[in-house]
Amino acid sequence: MRGAVIHAPRDVQFEERPDPELKEPTDAIIRTVATCVCGSDLWFYRGVNPVTDPTPIGHEYVGVVEEVGDDVTTVRPGQFVIGSFFASDNTCPHCRAGYQSSCVHRELMNGCQADLVRVPLADGTLVATPERPADELIPSLLTLSDVMGTGWYAAVAAEVRPGATVAVVGDGAVGLCGVIAAKALGAERVIAMSRHEPRQRLALEFGATDIVTERGADGVRRIRELTGGVGADCVLECVGTNESMQQALRSTRPGGNVGFVGVPHGVDIPGEDLFYSHVGLRGGPAPVRAYLPDLIDRVWTGRMEPGRVFDLTLPLDQVAEAYRAMDERRAIKALLRP
Amino acid sequence: MRGAVIHAPRDVQFEERPDPELKEPTDAIIRTVATCVCGSDLWFYRGVNPVTDPTPIGHEYVGVVEEVGDDVTTVRPGQFVIGSFFASDNTCPHCRAGYQSSCVHRELMNGCQADLVRVPLADGTLVATPERPADELIPSLLTLSDVMGTGWYAAVAAEVRPGATVAVVGDGAVGLCGVIAAKALGAERVIAMSRHEPRQRLALEFGATDIVTERGADGVRRIRELTGGVGADCVLECVGTNESMQQALRSTRPGGNVGFVGVPHGVDIPGEDLFYSHVGLRGGPAPVRAYLPDLIDRVWTGRMEPGRVFDLTLPLDQVAEAYRAMDERRAIKALLRP
């Protein structure tokens, strides 16, 4: 089979790799129907995270089960499935508490920008759709593997409740999915912070009520203006830089909450600032698995269409171009079809 | 009148000061019935926080209303009252959200280790008891002005729920009040981290089910052992050092919460650690005012007796000895009676 391998910053190649095989009786092999490039893949592509050896890359996938190990009971060959970017057993205490991405047996998926993928702990990781989905549902279902689940977790961690005023820091695919999540969870007002016209437009279509183009201290000031000096009830931090985190914390009202899902790079939170802010803070890799049944249902019944974050679709063998387009911000998010 | 003034580290004097006067129509003057020394007063006493000029000190008080301004409507002369260590209007958006210690008009009380105290924003700050309390209730009512309210907030911020496993970092008066709060909020298991036998005993009397004497990495390991490797659902950080904060964060299960009420000194939270921990974090100066009605009722009806944290009672004119005793850890908390 063939798959994407990152050799060095800005060097992603699509190459022949050995077919994955069942290693454990709890594994499944999936033939991918769609995969995509994640903002966090760009940390490697841009050299922010080190690349020491050639490494299969990609962690978002939907596909059809090809083969399952002897212990797998909840999915079977031929089913269309979606899985989290973290494999999880879904039975340990952390999973049972709804934090499958802290599963004691978790494994970060990689090498998913490929024809075939081995999924460990298949019963705890994969969820099958009711039947084979119509082709137009594929992009939205694919987002549930990471970005839409991550946007959802950001909103849950920020404790979005009906009537809330929510600000979203970051207009990448996760931030845009955060807008969808905030709206779906009943937010009355959703302020999207974005300087890019196509992303602003998408945010508004997803339910944003206000756009703030300013950043940093100016952005914070604008949020305060828009909220009568109070600050937002909930802020979704979907970037991961120290600047974006500080912006998020300072945009939140006392007693409000920041949900942070941008993988932190150089983020540092002074205890005294957090103390006097009265802001609650929770983040982490999203426990996507917890949300899959509900989110699949929302997509299946047409209640959300997060697949619209894909503004570029390419054949999988053009994966290098997908990285370039996202790196150069020519695309919000690129979908790849084998 | 006379009151305590801190002149320099380890130099607290009880001296003649001008009687406080009504400055605003929203003020009240209180004749103190009891006051006390707070762990946070020791930050000044020990020179950790700077003392530049002679400063009246103390922020915890119960007393009898002597005089009120023309705009005060909820308390009247002769009533026994308890107030928060932060004056608040109790009407601004932050107050209405339950964060009176972030009130837009908040004023930190000081100079309360004195015969008379001016309380700004009396309607929003003070709560009267149903009638003059019996003398044995005075210590418990006094704790509601800060430490018991702060322990309560720590438990609320850590989201203690019925059945929870709670760890309390810090065995000072606030930590001990945190044990009371955790128990009152339904915790099934309360692990007190303490190396001091008298404090351990009090923690057990207040409802702690386990004592952990280890600190740092050893303390974290012990909490994990006691919780089947999972970690505590809720951790109350009641110290304020970087070590105690890291200990609190690492003792918490993924998806659990730390409530931090120790005023941070040199606390620094790396974003990446917090991210991968999945731990929720909220702290700050406790919105004591929000809890006063409920906590007064709990004390009045004998459901809690936080006044037992006072293990030293002195006449107010011996305030300097009260500081010495607490500084040298000869006393957990010293009560002063004018």
Side-chain angles (χ1 to χ4, degrees):
Chain A
M1 68 135 194
R2 291 186 308 166
V5 173
I6 186 162
H7 288 256
R10 291 177 208 282
D11 181 11
V12 169
Q13 296 181 24
F14 191 65
E15 58 193 44
E16 197 61 36
R17 283 171 43 206
D19 279 12
E21 291 176 1
L22 297 173
K23 281 202 242 173
E24 303 288 339
T26 46
D27 287 353
I29 305 295
I30 306 303
R31 181 165 297 276
T32 54
V33 170
T35 177
C36 52
V37 180
C38 182
S40 66
D41 294 328
L42 293 182
W43 292 110
F44 294 93
Y45 188 79
R46 290 170 173 162
V48 179
N49 289 357
V51 180
T52 46
D53 292 303
T55 309
I57 191 165
H59 53 265
E60 298 163 290
Y61 57 100
V62 293
V64 174
V65 180
E66 187 93 352
E67 194 184 356
V68 297
D70 288 345
D71 292 354
V72 175
T73 61
T74 63
V75 294
R76 57 179 187 276
Q79 280 187 317
F80 186 94
V81 290
I82 307 163
S84 161
F85 62 98
F86 263 118
S88 59
D89 63 24
N90 211 23
T91 58
C92 82
H94 303 329
C95 285
R96 289 201 310 272
Y99 284 82
Q100 285 86 344
S101 40
S102 271
C103 173
V104 295
H105 296 117
R106 74 175 182 180
E107 284 185 48
L108 184 57
M109 297 294 295
N110 63 13
C112 298
Q113 290 156 3
D115 295 323
L116 294 168
V117 174
R118 183 181 76 88
V119 181
L121 302 165
D123 279 338
T125 306
L126 298 171
V127 177
T129 54
E131 53 192 88
R132 288 283 185 112
D135 207 56
E136 62 266 26
L137 288 186
I138 302 287
S140 287
L141 293 171
L142 176 60
T143 64
L144 308 186
S145 181
D146 183 348
V147 277
M148 185 61 230
T150 296
W152 193 265
Y153 173 62
V156 168
E159 300 189 11
V160 175
R161 303 258 191 278
T165 293
V166 179
V168 180
V169 180
D171 63 359
V174 169
L176 291 165
C177 288
V179 171
I180 296 176
K183 203 73 190 175
L185 289 165
E188 190 174 302
R189 197 161 180 197
V190 181
I191 306 168
M193 307 192 83
S194 170
R195 299 194 294 189
H196 302 86
E197 204 273 327
R199 295 169 190 228
Q200 293 172 1
R201 202 166 48 230
L202 202 48
L204 291 169
E205 289 172 21
F206 283 161
T209 53
D210 303 82
I211 300 290
V212 166
T213 55
E214 294 87 345
R215 286 192 184 179
D218 290 337
V220 172
R221 199 172 307 122
R222 193 78 191 96
I223 297 285
R224 302 235 160 240
E225 280 169 19
L226 287 170
T227 56
V230 172
D233 300 317
C234 314
V235 178
L236 283 49
E237 197 292 306
C238 305
V239 181
T241 63
N242 200 41
E243 292 67 28
S244 60
M245 177 62 96
Q246 303 310 328
Q247 183 177 320
L249 289 170
R250 290 180 190 144
S251 300
T252 313
R253 68 182 292 164
N257 292 279
V258 170
F260 70 110
V261 294
V263 181
H265 283 72
V267 172
D268 195 72
I269 304 152
E272 206 169 347
D273 291 0
L274 189 63
F275 184 81
Y276 287 107
S277 75
H278 275 132
V279 170
L281 185 58
R282 187 194 302 282
V288 162
R289 177 60 182 81
Y291 310 132
L292 276 177
D294 176 37
L295 295 184
I296 288 173
D297 188 61
R298 286 174 190 264
V299 166
W300 205 263
T301 55
R303 286 179 290 152
M304 60 166 63
E305 203 187 345
R308 293 171 64 203
V309 296
F310 294 109
D311 55 353
L312 177 66
T313 299
L314 291 171
L316 179 54
D317 60 10
Q318 289 180 39
V319 58
E321 167 56 17
Y323 275 84
R324 273 194 298 275
M326 282 180 62
D327 177 45
E328 294 164 11
R329 294 180 76 90
R330 283 185 280 120
I332 298 174
K333 194 166 176 75
L335 185 144
L336 298 160
R337 306 229 28 178
Chain B
M1 68 137 193
R2 291 185 308 164
V5 174
I6 186 162
H7 288 257
R10 292 176 206 282
D11 181 10
V12 170
Q13 297 181 25
F14 191 66
E15 58 193 46
E16 197 60 36
R17 283 170 44 205
D19 279 10
E21 290 177 2
L22 298 173
K23 281 202 241 172
E24 302 289 338
T26 47
D27 287 352
I29 305 294
I30 305 304
R31 181 165 297 277
T32 53
V33 170
T35 175
C36 52
V37 180
C38 183
S40 66
D41 294 330
L42 294 182
W43 292 109
F44 295 93
Y45 188 78
R46 291 172 172 161
V48 179
N49 289 357
V51 180
T52 46
D53 293 303
T55 310
I57 191 165
H59 54 264
E60 297 162 289
Y61 57 99
V62 293
V64 174
V65 179
E66 188 94 352
E67 193 184 358
V68 297
D70 288 344
D71 292 353
V72 175
T73 62
T74 64
V75 295
R76 55 179 188 277
Q79 281 186 316
F80 186 94
V81 291
I82 307 162
S84 162
F85 62 98
F86 263 118
S88 58
D89 63 24
N90 211 22
T91 59
C92 82
H94 303 328
C95 286
R96 289 202 310 273
Y99 284 82
Q100 284 87 346
S101 39
S102 271
C103 173
V104 296
H105 296 117
R106 73 175 183 180
E107 284 186 47
L108 185 58
M109 296 295 294
N110 62 15
C112 297
Q113 290 155 4
D115 295 322
L116 294 167
V117 174
R118 182 181 77 88
V119 180
L121 302 166
D123 279 336
T125 306
L126 298 171
V127 177
T129 54
E131 52 192 88
R132 287 284 186 109
D135 207 54
E136 62 267 26
L137 289 186
I138 302 286
S140 288
L141 293 171
L142 175 60
T143 64
L144 308 187
S145 183
D146 182 348
V147 277
M148 185 61 230
T150 296
W152 193 265
Y153 173 62
V156 168
E159 301 189 10
V160 175
R161 304 259 190 276
T165 292
V166 178
V168 180
V169 179
D171 63 359
V174 170
L176 292 165
C177 288
V179 171
I180 296 175
K183 204 73 190 175
L185 289 166
E188 189 174 301
R189 199 163 179 194
V190 181
I191 306 167
M193 307 190 84
S194 171
R195 298 194 296 187
H196 302 87
E197 204 275 327
R199 296 170 189 227
Q200 293 172 2
R201 203 166 47 231
L202 202 48
L204 291 169
E205 289 172 22
F206 282 161
T209 53
D210 304 81
I211 300 289
V212 166
T213 55
E214 294 88 344
R215 285 191 185 179
D218 290 337
V220 172
R221 199 171 308 123
R222 194 78 192 96
I223 297 283
R224 301 234 161 241
E225 279 169 19
L226 287 170
T227 55
V230 172
D233 300 318
C234 314
V235 178
L236 283 50
E237 197 292 306
C238 306
V239 181
T241 63
N242 200 41
E243 291 67 29
S244 61
M245 177 62 96
Q246 302 311 328
Q247 183 177 319
L249 289 170
R250 289 179 189 144
S251 300
T252 313
R253 68 182 291 164
N257 291 279
V258 170
F260 70 111
V261 295
V263 180
H265 285 72
V267 171
D268 194 72
I269 304 153
E272 207 169 347
D273 290 0
L274 189 63
F275 184 80
Y276 287 107
S277 75
H278 275 132
V279 170
L281 185 58
R282 185 194 303 282
V288 162
R289 178 60 182 81
Y291 311 131
L292 277 176
D294 176 38
L295 295 184
I296 289 173
D297 188 63
R298 287 173 189 264
V299 167
W300 204 263
T301 55
R303 286 179 290 152
M304 60 165 62
E305 203 187 345
R308 293 171 64 202
V309 297
F310 294 109
D311 53 354
L312 177 66
T313 299
L314 292 171
L316 179 54
D317 60 10
Q318 290 180 38
V319 59
E321 167 57 16
Y323 276 85
R324 273 193 299 275
M326 282 181 62
D327 177 44
E328 295 163 9
R329 294 181 76 89
R330 283 185 281 119
I332 298 174
K333 194 166 176 75
L335 184 143
L336 299 160
R337 307 227 32 173

